[in-house]
Amino acid sequence: NWPVLMSVAIYMGMIGIIKGLHNMEGKKIGLIWGSINLVWIIWEWIEEVKKENSYLGDHTKEVRENLMKSYYLFIVSEISIFGSLFFTYFYLMLIPSVEWGCVIPPKGILSVEYKSIPLLNTIVLVSSSITITACLYTIKKKEIKEYLALTILLNLYFTYLQYIEFKTAPFNVTDTSYGSIFYTITSLHGIHVIIGNLMVMVCYLKALNDELMRNRKMYLEMTSIYLHFVDLVFLNLFLIVYIWGS
């Protein structure tokens, strides 16, 4: 049932985000309710997996290998989603329409300055990749907790900076297809950063309860892979959308 419940929570959150982009009523309710349910579902799902592993002994070596294989397939599906969005962006940019004035960016629209918040966000995400990777190679429990806490703070800082960027951007989602594809890609990536940060928070709570070391490799490896994927997406965003698109 967890996949179905998670889909409903994500759907509610997306409805809230869409309403927020169009300044519609009820935008906060969907986003807050969806986020709360998403956190609860992730926590309960992980607790169930933990019971299967720690108490029932269901996670044999073969089961763990299959879990990692399915997780890699999940990452491939995520790559497909962003790949389709980047394809759309390339199509719009390489063949600018008459409505755009046949120029990039469209006439009347000022692009986001890549040397400001986008550059800082790139540095922040690369730093978070370094700290989460350090967790995989350190053997001291105290250092693992410190690196996890630092990763959480860096990801929260990224989310805050992206919020500031959206608030101060010289265009919005309704400003031609350029604004639509820009906000679609960047906001979807921002959601992935939040999800990745929730995964890090779960690892941190497990580290506080001394539960992380028993399954350290699987938990941290999954979280690290996800964050590295999110960081690679943003590096492409920075080069293609912010630099080339400006």
Side-chain angles (χ1 to χ4, degrees):
N1 295 329
W2 295 122
V4 176
L5 293 174
M6 180 172 285
S7 299
V8 173
I10 293 174
Y11 177 79
M12 293 171 61
M14 287 301 300
I15 292 297
I17 292 172
I18 293 170
K19 285 185 176 181
L21 292 174
H22 292 277
N23 292 320
M24 299 171 63
E25 293 183 1
K27 56 185 178 182
K28 293 183 179 179
I29 296 176
L31 182 59
I32 294 173
W33 187 247
S35 300
I36 292 174
N37 277 278
L38 184 61
V39 173
W40 172 74
I41 291 167
I42 292 174
W43 178 263
E44 290 296 327
W45 197 349
I46 290 175
E47 284 296 307
E48 186 172 308
V49 172
K50 183 181 73 174
K51 291 176 182 177
E52 293 174 352
N53 180 34
S54 302
Y55 304 113
L56 300 178
D58 293 336
H59 286 194
T60 60
K61 182 180 179 181
E62 184 178 356
V63 170
R64 294 192 182 198
E65 290 177 354
N66 288 331
L67 282 173
M68 291 304 301
K69 289 177 182 178
S70 62
Y71 188 73
Y72 288 132
L73 289 175
F74 164 71
I75 296 297
V76 170
S77 69
E78 294 282 280
I79 293 173
S80 300
I81 294 173
F82 281 101
S84 63
L85 291 174
F86 277 117
F87 175 82
T88 303
Y89 186 83
F90 277 120
Y91 178 81
L92 293 173
M93 297 297 282
L94 293 174
I95 313 175
S97 63
V98 176
E99 289 78 9
W100 286 24
C102 296
V103 293
I104 302 170
K107 284 186 176 181
I109 291 181
L110 296 174
S111 60
V112 176
E113 177 56 52
Y114 70 88
K115 294 180 182 179
S116 56
I117 293 179
L119 179 59
L120 180 57
N121 266 342
T122 304
I123 297 172
V124 170
L125 276 190
V126 171
S127 301
S128 70
S129 282
I130 295 173
T131 54
I132 194 65
T133 302
C135 293
L136 289 170
Y137 293 97
T138 185
I139 58 175
K140 297 180 179 179
K141 293 182 181 180
K142 183 179 179 181
E143 290 183 357
I144 291 176
K145 295 175 185 177
E146 291 173 350
Y147 282 129
L148 288 172
L150 185 55
T151 304
I152 292 171
L153 292 176
L154 287 169
N155 287 329
L156 287 175
Y157 187 47
F158 174 90
T159 303
Y160 170 74
L161 288 175
Q162 190 170 53
Y163 169 77
I164 298 299
E165 178 188 316
F166 286 174
K167 292 286 288 185
T168 59
F171 58 92
N172 57 46
V173 69
T174 59
D175 288 333
T176 73
S177 52
Y178 177 86
S180 298
I181 191 63
F182 174 86
Y183 278 98
T184 299
I185 296 178
T186 53
S187 60
L188 182 62
H189 173 267
I191 293 171
H192 280 71
V193 172
I194 294 173
I195 294 173
N197 209 24
L198 290 175
M199 294 172 67
V200 180
M201 289 178 183
V202 170
C203 288
Y204 183 73
L205 291 174
K206 287 184 174 296
L208 291 178
N209 296 327
D210 292 326
E211 297 177 359
L212 184 64
M213 298 304 292
R214 285 178 293 181
N215 299 290
R216 171 186 169 189
K217 189 177 186 300
M218 188 174 72
Y219 285 135
L220 287 180
E221 188 174 341
M222 285 184 169
T223 304
S224 178
I225 290 171
Y226 192 85
L227 289 185
H228 288 321
F229 160 72
V230 171
D231 295 347
L232 285 174
V233 170
F234 191 78
L235 286 175
N236 283 281
L237 269 172
F238 181 69
L239 294 173
I240 297 171
V241 176
Y242 288 105
I243 295 181
W244 182 58
S246 64

